[in-house]
Amino acid sequence: MKEIKHFINGECVGSDSGKTFEDRNPANNQLIATVHEGGQVEVDRAVAAARAALEGEWGLMPMAKRLDLVNKVAEGINARFDEFVEAECLDTGKPRALAAHVDIPRGAANFSFFADHVKNVATESFFTETLDSTGAINYGVRKPRGVIAVVSPWNLPLLLMTWKVGPALACGNTVVVKPSEETPHTAALLGEVMNDVGIPKGVYNVVHGFGPASAGEYLTRHPGVDGITFTGESRTGSVIMKAAAEGIRPVSLELGGKNPSIVFADADMDKVIEGCMRSVFINCGQVCFNTERVYVERPVFDEFLSRLKSAVEALKPGLWNADGSTMGPLISHEHRNKVLSYYKKAVDQGATVVTGGGIPKMPGDLADGAWIEPTIWTGLPENAAVVREEVFGPCCHVQPFDHEADVVRMANDTPYGLGASVWTENLSRAHRMGQQLDVGMLWVNSWFLRDLRTSFGGNKQSGVGREGGVHGLEFYSELRNVCINF
Ligand code: NAD
Ligand code: 6OD
């Protein structure tokens, strides 16, 4: 049986307590690894190693050499591409095509992009007039924030973890990562890559475990941590924000969503169906900005629904490496129970189930997996549970609308504000939506089209702060003003 250990100070180490937990493949519930569970001892060691690296070789390293090493991490991931793909697919059950086109290449790009990016970011400079007329000059200097705690989720494990580790290292910080207990594999593999390419010991550390009363809580409460970057549920974000208040540590929070897609009657319906199939069902509906509410202008409502239904019924659930499989399972049985409870609430509250609503019949040992049917509902009021609350499964409610102002009101009537997509060929309307929808990211005639130079984050309960491009530097570095009096 494979054993996954912590990665502390450049070495794979087991837990002092001897405590372990199971890593199971959600496609068939088979045990794939035993994982060491970290406690206070391992977190203390990882934070101490990160501090020593910051004050030692890494902190003293010239920027050019540091960024060259960060770039080499990207090369190192790409050199072991198939291994990363397989590890991600076994942990999550997602189809190979998804891991090979999104998770792993983006995981690598998160290092190469930020290694190039930070070189080109200017700081401000002002000439200041003084009373004696000699003048002074002010200029900004960016310094690493210090030891960064990275707490990440299971839905896009390598991508979302490196989205934080890449800029953190490029800015000169050191990190302690607490990956999701569901998906420990790729964070462990990345430790091997760090050693292979020559990242100094202690720069990248990983402690496995759970959240409360485990590695996640010990790490986020640790006084040796200078900043916490977290992706996960809004409820967890609130707990982490409280932990960060002790010691006044800054947080960057990427949290949940209840994202709308708005389809106007003038949209190109082929593009709409292709786009909504991705935005609702990709990764079995487990992407933070997945669409869970679709609003369709009444003249095209019936056409949209019947075409979306046909496309959904053509999805092929199957093992990650099976030919033609286009859909994986949910991450776990526990998560499936949560999603099924929402499927039940939808029916109890009067939904029409257009398709799905249950558990599919899967062959052989796949019957033991966390499979679920992709589901579409109509007919619910806007206050129904599946229209208000984040389900994080392959499902959406489809609602007709008549007026632009009505759909903007419904789209914004949520405690979340992460992402939205709008489908229209009317340019003026697209710009109006850009002004009116209360979200951090709006896609027009697309979804999840990413440019890493742009800001990424959510409004309201969907997050605090922005990462991406220069915006991430506000979290991963401290800006110092130097004032020189002539
Ligand atoms: P989660 O909040 O349950 O867990 C995320 C991580 O936090 C895990 O590593 C977990 O072990 C850890 N954790 C849990 N409780 C903790 C605590 N008290 N202290 C410290 N650490 C703790 O989230 P999840 O179920 O892994 O991920 C799904 C959620 O993440 C969804 O709500 C989704 O919308 C959100 N998400 C948001 C984004 C974004 O960019 N906004 C991206 C991906 C996922
Ligand atoms: O693409 C990204 O950079 C990113 N952070 C994606 C987040 C997806 C959420 O599940």
Side-chain angles (χ1 to χ4, degrees):
M1 179 54 51
K2 186 167 189 161
E3 201 181 349
I4 296 180
K5 296 185 173 175
H6 313 296
F7 184 75
I8 300 176
N9 207 26
E11 283 173 22
C12 291
V13 291
S15 288
D16 267 20
S17 66
K19 270 165 100 175
T20 58
F21 60 95
E22 293 180 337
D23 180 20
R24 288 184 178 270
N25 179 347
N28 53 15
N29 209 29
Q30 272 174 18
L31 189 61
I32 45 182
T34 303
V35 189
H36 284 251
E37 183 186 347
Q40 189 68 55
V41 174
E42 288 73 29
V43 169
D44 284 348
R45 279 185 198 142
V47 173
R51 177 68 54 198
L54 194 66
E55 289 169 359
E57 188 183 356
W58 185 247
L60 298 171
M61 191 178 278
M63 183 185 187
K65 184 167 179 208
R66 180 176 86 226
L67 296 180
D68 185 48
L69 281 179
V70 173
N71 245 319
K72 286 204 162 69
V73 177
E75 291 166 19
I77 294 173
N78 285 329
R80 296 175 66 175
F81 192 84
D82 291 343
E83 250 179 286
F84 272 93
V85 167
E86 181 170 353
E88 208 72 302
C89 291
L90 288 176
D91 270 1
T92 60
K94 67 179 71 191
R96 178 185 4 224
L98 183 55
H101 286 107
V102 178
D103 298 67
I104 307 309
R106 261 301 304 285
N110 286 338
F111 289 100
S112 51
F113 170 80
F114 285 105
D116 289 342
H117 190 68
V118 300
K119 283 187 235 180
N120 298 311
V121 178
T123 52
E124 64 191 12
S125 164
F126 293 103
F127 179 77
T128 307
E129 291 184 355
T130 55
L131 286 176
D132 66 1
S133 307
T134 52
I137 187 158
N138 285 277
Y139 62 88
V141 181
R142 283 201 179 276
K143 290 288 174 188
R145 184 171 289 289
V147 175
I148 305 290
V150 176
V151 182
S152 50
W154 44 258
N155 60 328
L156 302 164
L158 184 75
L159 189 161
L160 289 178
M161 186 260 282
T162 56
W163 170 243
K164 293 166 180 305
V165 173
L169 298 197
C171 288
N173 302 283
T174 56
V175 297
V176 180
V177 176
K178 209 302 279 171
S180 169
E181 53 275 28
E182 305 284 1
T183 51
H185 247 113
T186 46
L189 264 183
L190 188 59
E192 295 176 20
V193 169
M194 295 279 173
N195 277 351
D196 290 347
V197 304
I199 294 281
K201 288 179 189 317
V203 171
Y204 171 83
N205 305 278
V206 181
V207 182
H208 297 284
F210 301 85
S214 183
E217 181 180 333
Y218 301 138
L219 178 60
T220 51
R221 295 173 79 93
H222 202 290
V225 161
D226 300 304
I228 305 167
T229 176
F230 167 76
T231 301
E233 281 190 36
S234 298
R235 228 183 5 244
T236 315
S238 165
V239 174
I240 287 180
M241 211 168 172
K242 285 183 192 128
E246 197 61 47
I248 321 289
R249 279 97 41 82
V251 288
S252 174
L253 304 178
E254 296 182 341
L255 309 176
K258 188 70 191 176
N259 312 302
S261 274
I262 302 175
V263 180
F264 286 96
D266 62 45
D268 177 329
M269 195 51 82
D270 291 342
K271 290 186 203 157
V272 172
I273 297 300
E274 191 273 334
C276 288
M277 283 304 293
R278 287 195 308 114
S279 81
V280 181
F281 300 104
I282 199 170
N283 208 35
C284 201
Q286 304 165 115
V287 177
C288 56
F289 38 74
N290 267 130
T291 302
E292 291 192 357
R293 300 180 286 152
V294 189
Y295 298 98
V296 184
E297 205 168 2
R298 203 172 301 272
V300 294
F301 181 82
D302 290 343
E303 179 193 358
F304 172 84
L305 202 57
S306 93
R307 288 187 61 179
L308 192 72
K309 176 178 188 293
S310 307
V312 167
E313 289 170 357
L315 284 171
K316 295 230 164 0
L319 209 52
W320 68 281
N321 54 358
D323 276 348
S325 118
T326 53
M327 190 171 173
L330 289 170
I331 190 66
S332 63
H333 283 84
E334 186 189 347
H335 187 51
R336 183 170 74 172
N337 289 341
K338 175 186 159 191
V339 175
L340 284 173
S341 77
Y342 277 108
Y343 281 18
K344 179 170 182 313
K345 278 187 203 169
V347 172
D348 291 348
Q349 293 184 327
T352 300
V353 181
V354 177
T355 188
I359 295 175
K361 278 206 167 14
M362 298 298 290
D365 70 349
L366 298 189
D368 297 328
W371 300 90
I372 192 147
E373 285 178 343
T375 296
I376 306 173
W377 306 284
T378 57
L380 285 170
E382 284 294 288
N383 62 1
V386 299
V387 185
R388 297 287 305 165
E389 296 165 27
E390 183 186 52
V391 179
F392 222 53
C395 55
C396 63
H397 180 253
V398 189
Q399 183 85 285
F401 71 91
D402 295 302
H403 303 291
E404 192 178 303
D406 293 342
V407 79
V408 168
R409 186 181 38 73
M410 290 191 287
N412 286 341
D413 183 16
T414 163
Y416 295 107
L418 189 57
S421 53
V422 169
W423 299 88
T424 180
E425 296 293 313
N426 178 329
L427 189 59
S428 303
R429 178 154 39 215
H431 286 296
R432 281 200 299 278
M433 293 295 111
Q435 296 297 313
Q436 292 171 14
L437 292 175
D438 188 2
V439 292
M441 290 158 297
L442 174 66
W443 284 280
V444 176
N445 295 330
S446 65
W447 178 81
F448 206 169
L449 178 58
R450 294 280 289 118
D451 181 327
L452 305 190
R453 293 169 299 185
T454 62
S455 68
F456 183 97
N459 299 350
K460 299 191 270 183
Q461 290 181 26
S462 290
V464 173
R466 293 291 183 272
E467 299 203 5
V470 292
H471 313 285
L473 303 195
E474 297 306 326
F475 177 76
Y476 294 109
S477 61
E478 287 275 26
L479 195 54
R480 174 182 303 162
N481 186 67
V482 179
C483 176
I484 304 209
N485 188 354
F486 292 173

